[in-house]
Amino acid sequence: MLRFGPAEGPVVVAALPLFEEANRTRAFAVTILRALAERGIVGLLPDLPGQGESLLPTHETDLAKLRAGFAAAAASLGVPVFTFAIRSGALLDGDAQIAGRYHLSPMTGADLRRELVRARQASSREAGEAFDPAAIDTATEPVELAGNLIAPAFLAELSAAAPSTEAVRTVRLETEAKPADAKLPGSPLWRRAEPDNDLAFASAVAGDIAAWIATCAG
């Protein structure tokens, strides 16, 4: 778990998106946490079960393990914390004891599953391979989607998974049509082919998080 900021102060625990989007947005999330540290806010970025440096293989994780890992990270400092989740990371903070949730471009589990299936369909077409999405529902072994081996039970869980709506501030890109509490200019880094960063966007998000925390504390 990476830790940023002062020894004491408001605490933000970050949840990266699931699967490949975590790699694409990690530098962006770290930039935001460093910017929060400059504002006197403690930041934590845990590697959850099946993510990052975790020793658990991706195909052995599921929503329950990920949520329990995030809740444990949030409880590790023994003080009320705020969460900051990007995209499908918003599916992971529902079991944590928190003071407030900040969701950046959150998505449902069903949306994530559709994107994973579309990515697999596209790669199968390019490789000239056959792929039947319906086979996912009857699979008994891990399924490879977008370069990740995922347990069929995890994929089934995603169909009904949704972000928590309690004590949440939802922020989206200006280009997104879905409703939000605020919209910011920036780049959808999670859609890029390679990991990247957007310093101006990260600064705007950090500023919004800091202002939101100040409002919650008040």
Side-chain angles (χ1 to χ4, degrees), residues 132-179:
D132 179 10
I136 294 175
D137 296 325
T138 57
T140 57
E141 297 294 330
V143 180
E144 183 177 350
L145 296 175
N148 295 277
L149 284 175
I150 307 173
F154 191 176
L155 291 169
E157 285 181 303
L158 288 178
S159 297
S164 173
T165 58
E166 295 183 8
V168 62
R169 176 172 174 79
T170 299
V171 176
R172 297 186 182 277
L173 290 166
E174 287 181 338
T175 53
E176 293 183 69
K178 292 182 178 180

Side-chain angles (χ1 to χ4, degrees), residues 84-169:
F84 160 53
I86 303 172
R87 295 273 283 171
S88 57
L91 300 173
L92 308 182
D93 65 9
D95 293 341
Q97 297 297 311
I98 53 90
R101 296 176 173 85
Y102 188 102
H103 289 171
L104 179 62
S105 297
M107 64 193 307
T108 66
D111 289 337
L112 173 59
R113 176 173 163 144
R114 280 192 292 270
E115 290 199 359
L116 292 170
V117 170
R118 282 197 295 266
R120 172 62 190 274
Q121 288 175 313
S123 63
S124 295
R125 282 195 299 269
E126 290 179 5
E129 300 172 349
F131 172 67
D132 179 10
I136 294 175
D137 296 325
T138 57
T140 57
E141 297 294 330
V143 180
E144 183 177 350
L145 296 175
N148 295 277
L149 284 175
I150 307 173
F154 191 176
L155 291 169
E157 285 181 303
L158 288 178
S159 297
S164 173
T165 58
E166 295 183 8
V168 62
R169 176 172 174 79

Side-chain angles (χ1 to χ4, degrees), residues 2-54:
L2 298 178
R3 189 185 190 283
F4 306 87
E8 296 181 352
V11 179
V12 169
V13 184
L16 296 176
L18 294 169
F19 310 121
E20 187 56 33
E21 286 191 5
N23 298 325
R24 296 173 189 159
T25 59
R26 188 177 182 87
F28 174 62
V30 167
T31 301
I32 292 169
L33 294 177
R34 290 190 186 280
L36 289 173
E38 294 174 356
R39 293 168 167 84
I41 297 171
V42 180
L44 302 179
L45 179 58
D47 280 336
L48 303 179
Q51 283 189 328
E53 299 299 320
S54 167

Side-chain angles (χ1 to χ4, degrees), residues 169-214:
R169 176 172 174 79
T170 299
V171 176
R172 297 186 182 277
L173 290 166
E174 287 181 338
T175 53
E176 293 183 69
K178 292 182 178 180
D181 296 307
K183 296 195 175 184
L184 299 174
S187 308
L189 300 169
W190 42 85
R191 297 201 181 280
R192 296 191 177 174
E194 299 291 338
D196 204 348
N197 209 342
D198 184 331
L199 299 182
F201 186 23
S203 177
V205 172
D208 193 59
I209 292 174
W212 166 69
I213 290 175

